[in-house]
Amino acid sequence: MTGKFYGLGVGPGDPKLLTIRAVEILRSVPVVAVPKSSTDKNSIALEIANPYLPGPVEILELNLPMTTDPAVLERCWQAAAERVLDHLRIGSDVAFLTLGDPSLYSTYQFVLQKLRAICPELEVETVPGITSFAASAAVLNQPLASGEEPLLILPAVDNRLGAYIEEFPNLVLMKVSRGLESIVQTLNYYQKQGVLVSRCGSQQQSVVRDLNSLVGKGVDYLSLVLVNGNATNTSVGREKEDAE
Amino acid sequence: MTGKFYGLGVGPGDPKLLTIRAVEILRSVPVVAVPKSSTDKNSIALEIANPYLPGPVEILELNLPMTTDPAVLERCWQAAAERVLDHLRIGSDVAFLTLGDPSLYSTYQFVLQKLRAICPELEVETVPGITSFAASAAVLNQPLASGEEPLLILPAVDNRLGAYIEEFPNLVLMKVSRGLESIVQTLNYYQKQGVLVSRCGSQQQSVVRDLNSLVGKGVDYLSLVLVNGNATNTSVGREKEDAE
C-alpha cells in the first residue's frame, strides 16, 4: 500500500511550459513536495505549478540548502527522503517539483537515491521538463546547436572556459550570477558573443545582449548565458523579449 | 494581415510530453507544417501532435531531405519557406512541428532564417519541447548531470569521442544508428557504461544496457546513448522500461 513517487519537471518559469503529463499528475496527487533553501522566500517551482493544483493539497517543504558541504547535504537528503516516505507509507502519492528538468542539476536525483536505499521497490515516475536553456533559445528564436555541432552545458564558471570556448562554439553557461565578470572577460578575449537570459518565461524575464553592460552589477541567480557559434545576434525574433 | 509563424517542439514521442502552450497552439492554427524526408512514410512529429488537432486542419508537408549537400539543402529550405509564406500571406497562422526541441538540431531554424530573409517583420513564436535526452533520462530515472558536472551533447559519431569521454564523464550521444560499433568500442576501451534508448516515449520504445549485444545488429535511427559518469546502472526505476 505504498504511494507512488513522482519527479516533475515544471520548466523554468512559464506555467504554460508544463507538460500535459505533469499537469495530469499535479491534478491527482494529495502531496506536493518542494525543495526549499533557507534563503528562498517562496518556492519558484511551486509558483509555476500553482495554477494546476486542484485546491486542498498538502505542501511538503523540504529543507535542501544551497551548500557544498557533503555532510550537510547527506543529512538533508536523508531527512527529505524520510519526510516523503512518511506520506508514501500511508499510501499517498507524492509529486516532487523541480525547476527545469529533473535529470539536470536537480536535488530530486539525490532524494530519489535515498528513497530507493530505504525502499527499493518504490514505484517511481520521472516526468521530464523544459530546460531553461531550451526555453531561453526559444525566446531568442535562435538555435542552441545545428547539424553535427556539439553542445556543451556548463553549470558553473570554470577556469577551463577559455579552452572550452575554443573547442565548442555552442555553449550553455548556467548559474552565471557568480563569476559573470570572468565569463565576460573570457568571451571578450575570444571575441565570442553571448546573450544573458534571466528568469526565462517569468514576469521578471530579461534579455541582455551587451554583456559588458553587466560588469559590476548583480544579475539574478536564475540567469544563463547562451553562446551560439553561428549566431548573428540580429533582430530576429526580438518581439518576445523584454526591454534590454 | 500576415499570419503568425510558430515553431513547436512536440517532444520525442509521447503525446503527453507536449506542453500546455504547444497544445493551445495546435488547437488554434489552420495550417500545420511538417518536415518530411523522402524516406519517411509518416511524419513522426505529426503522429505525436495528432491527438490535439481539432479536425479540419491543413497539413503542409515540406520536403526536407536528410542530406548534407548544401545546394540541395538551401533549395529545400527556400522552397519550404515559400510554401509556408503562401499561407502566412493570406493571414493563416502556421505551426511548424519539430521532434524534440526546435532549438536543437532542427530544420525549423533554417526555414525560419529563410522566412525572415523574405519577411523581416514576421511574427514568430518558438515553443520549446522536451528533448529526447531529458525524456530518456526520465525513463531511466537517472541524472544526465549533477552538481557542477558539465554535460556534452554530441549529435553524431566523431573521431574525437575518446578524447571527449576522458574529459566529460556525462555524455549524450545522439543519432547513434550510424557508427554504433565505433561508439561501443570506444566506451569499452575507456570502461564506460552507456545505455541506449530508442524511440523514447513511443509504443516502440526500447532500452538496452548491454551495448555489446547490439554490435552487428541495426538500431532504430531515433536512438541515443546516455553515458552518466556516476551511474551505477542498478535496477533503479526499471519499471518504466521495456524488456531489454
Side-chain angles (χ1 to χ4, degrees):
Chain A
M1 280 292 278
T2 310
K4 185 170 173 181
F5 185 56
Y6 296 96
L8 296 195
V10 299
D14 180 353
K16 289 198 174 174
L17 294 187
L18 260 79
T19 62
I20 300 294
R21 180 67 185 137
V23 169
E24 196 173 69
I25 293 164
L26 284 172
R27 288 189 173 142
S28 77
V29 290
V31 182
V32 169
V34 289
K36 204 156 186 309
S37 74
S38 47
T39 53
D40 289 347
K41 271 162 288 175
N42 298 300
S43 159
I44 297 170
L46 184 58
E47 277 172 31
I48 298 168
N50 198 50
Y52 306 106
L53 295 177
V57 167
E58 178 161 355
I59 306 296
L60 192 61
E61 288 189 349
L62 302 175
N63 177 35
L64 292 161
M66 289 183 190
T67 171
T68 52
D69 181 333
V72 174
L73 286 172
E74 279 288 324
R75 202 165 54 234
C76 289
W77 296 335
Q78 185 69 31
E82 280 164 13
R83 288 192 63 206
V84 168
L85 262 177
D86 288 345
H87 293 271
L88 294 173
R89 279 191 178 121
I90 57 168
S92 296
D93 295 344
V94 178
F96 184 108
L97 306 187
T98 67
L99 261 183
D101 176 69
S103 303
L104 272 168
Y105 311 117
S106 167
T107 50
Y108 164 70
Q109 299 290 341
F110 300 111
V111 175
L112 176 58
Q113 274 180 27
K114 296 293 179 197
L115 279 170
R116 285 287 193 180
I118 307 168
C119 182
E121 297 310 309
L122 184 66
E123 197 185 354
V124 177
E125 179 178 338
T126 306
V127 180
I130 298 293
T131 60
S132 56
F133 50 87
S136 298
V139 164
L140 303 172
N141 293 323
Q142 80 178 32
L144 291 163
S146 302
E148 303 201 336
E149 301 164 1
L151 176 68
L152 179 61
I153 298 159
L154 295 172
V157 186
D158 189 303
N159 53 22
R160 291 166 297 179
L161 182 60
Y164 291 151
I165 283 180
E166 288 201 287
E167 191 161 7
F168 302 103
N170 302 311
L171 293 168
V172 174
L173 310 176
M174 298 177 77
K175 300 176 195 163
V176 294
S177 61
R178 285 177 302 174
L180 185 66
E181 205 139 330
S182 155
I183 291 171
V184 173
Q185 276 173 7
T186 309
L187 291 174
N188 286 342
Y189 181 83
Y190 289 96
Q191 296 184 289
K192 298 285 178 182
Q193 280 284 343
V195 184
L196 180 129
V197 183
S198 298
R199 300 245 168 196
C200 186
S202 77
Q203 301 285 332
Q204 297 83 38
Q205 175 180 303
S206 73
V207 173
V208 180
R209 288 173 190 274
D210 176 13
L211 299 189
N212 290 303
S213 71
L214 296 170
V215 173
K217 300 179 193 168
V219 298
D220 191 282
Y221 80 102
L222 290 176
S223 297
L224 54 73
V225 169
L226 301 183
V227 181
N228 180 242
N230 305 307
T232 52
N233 282 339
T234 61
S235 62
V236 171
R238 289 208 174 192
E239 65 267 30
K240 279 170 70 189
E241 298 176 16
D242 278 346
E244 293 177 30
Chain B
M1 283 288 278
T2 309
K4 185 169 173 181
F5 185 58
Y6 295 96
L8 296 196
V10 299
D14 180 352
K16 289 198 175 172
L17 294 186
L18 261 79
T19 63
I20 299 293
R21 181 67 185 137
V23 168
E24 195 173 70
I25 293 164
L26 284 172
R27 287 188 173 144
S28 77
V29 290
V31 182
V32 170
V34 289
K36 204 157 185 308
S37 73
S38 46
T39 53
D40 289 347
K41 272 162 288 177
N42 298 300
S43 158
I44 296 170
L46 184 58
E47 277 173 32
I48 299 168
N50 197 51
Y52 306 106
L53 295 177
V57 167
E58 179 161 355
I59 306 297
L60 193 60
E61 288 188 347
L62 302 175
N63 177 35
L64 293 161
M66 289 184 191
T67 171
T68 52
D69 181 334
V72 174
L73 286 171
E74 279 289 325
R75 202 164 55 233
C76 289
W77 295 336
Q78 185 68 29
E82 281 164 12
R83 288 192 61 206
V84 169
L85 262 178
D86 287 344
H87 293 271
L88 294 171
R89 278 192 180 121
I90 58 169
S92 297
D93 295 344
V94 178
F96 184 108
L97 306 187
T98 67
L99 260 184
D101 176 69
S103 303
L104 272 167
Y105 312 117
S106 168
T107 49
Y108 164 71
Q109 299 290 342
F110 300 110
V111 175
L112 176 58
Q113 274 180 25
K114 295 293 178 196
L115 278 170
R116 284 286 193 182
I118 308 168
C119 182
E121 297 310 311
L122 183 66
E123 198 185 353
V124 176
E125 180 179 338
T126 306
V127 180
I130 299 293
T131 60
S132 55
F133 51 86
S136 298
V139 163
L140 303 174
N141 293 323
Q142 80 178 33
L144 290 163
S146 301
E148 302 201 338
E149 303 163 359
L151 176 67
L152 179 60
I153 297 160
L154 295 171
V157 187
D158 189 304
N159 52 22
R160 291 166 296 179
L161 182 59
Y164 291 151
I165 282 179
E166 287 202 288
E167 190 159 8
F168 301 104
N170 301 310
L171 293 168
V172 174
L173 311 176
M174 299 176 78
K175 300 178 195 163
V176 294
S177 60
R178 283 176 303 173
L180 184 65
E181 205 139 330
S182 155
I183 291 171
V184 173
Q185 276 173 6
T186 308
L187 291 174
N188 286 342
Y189 181 82
Y190 289 96
Q191 296 184 288
K192 297 286 178 183
Q193 279 285 343
V195 184
L196 179 130
V197 183
S198 298
R199 300 245 169 196
C200 186
S202 76
Q203 301 286 332
Q204 298 83 39
Q205 174 181 304
S206 72
V207 173
V208 180
R209 288 173 191 273
D210 176 12
L211 299 189
N212 290 303
S213 71
L214 297 170
V215 172
K217 300 178 193 168
V219 298
D220 191 281
Y221 81 102
L222 289 176
S223 297
L224 54 73
V225 169
L226 301 183
V227 182
N228 180 244
N230 305 308
T232 51
N233 282 339
T234 62
S235 63
V236 170
R238 290 209 173 189
E239 64 269 26
K240 279 171 70 190
E241 297 177 15
D242 279 345
E244 290 176 34

